[in-house]
């Protein structure tokens, strides 16, 4: 099973928050900006989010605890979620 981390922001003002997830360039679809990154396993995706949280919230363990969930992470004005990849 493949999984994907997806994040969307509604305006250009939150675009820097989306870029903090390091998922490449964002696509502009229906007025929002979205990005995604694919992983082979959910373990890899969770580790990716944990590593991002470690870097982003360095020295702020309480902030990291509040913003990192098992399958999601919030960085500033953007939250990314782990989802099963849809079969194409």
């Amino acid at each position: 099973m493949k999984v994907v981390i997806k994040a969307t922001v509604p305006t250009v003002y939150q675009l820097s928050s989306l870029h903090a997830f390091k998922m490449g360039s964002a696509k502009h679809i229906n007025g929002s900006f979205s990005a995604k990154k694919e992983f082979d396993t959910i373990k890899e995706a969770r580790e990716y989010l944990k590593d991002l949280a470690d870097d982003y919230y360095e020295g702020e363990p309480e902030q990291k605890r509040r913003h990192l969930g098992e399958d999601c992470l919030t960085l500033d004005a953007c939250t990314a979620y782990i989802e099963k990849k849809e079969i194409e």
Side-chain angles (χ1 to χ4, degrees):
M1 169 187 72
K2 297 264 186 181
V3 297
V4 65
I5 295 175
K6 292 183 180 180
T8 301
V9 294
T11 70
V12 71
Y13 299 107
Q14 292 94 9
L15 198 52
S16 62
S17 298
L18 179 61
H19 289 307
F21 285 96
K22 302 175 184 176
M23 296 191 287
S25 60
K27 294 183 180 178
H28 187 247
I29 302 170
N30 296 327
S32 296
F33 296 90
S34 299
K36 63 183 179 179
K37 186 170 180 80
E38 187 177 306
F39 296 86
D40 290 327
T41 67
I42 197 161
K43 181 180 178 181
E44 290 174 346
R46 286 176 177 160
E47 188 65 28
Y48 183 81
L49 291 182
K50 181 189 172 298
D51 290 344
L52 282 174
D54 287 343
D55 290 343
Y56 194 84
Y57 295 111
E58 183 179 1
E60 301 178 80
E62 179 60 25
Q63 291 293 327
K64 178 184 164 189
R65 186 191 63 75
R66 287 185 22 209
H67 292 95
L68 178 62
E70 184 176 38
D71 291 337
C72 64
L73 172 63
T74 300
L75 301 179
D76 193 30
C78 183
T79 302
Y81 300 91
I82 297 173
E83 302 175 358
K84 291 180 184 177
K85 184 174 180 205
E86 294 179 23
I87 297 182
E88 298 173 357

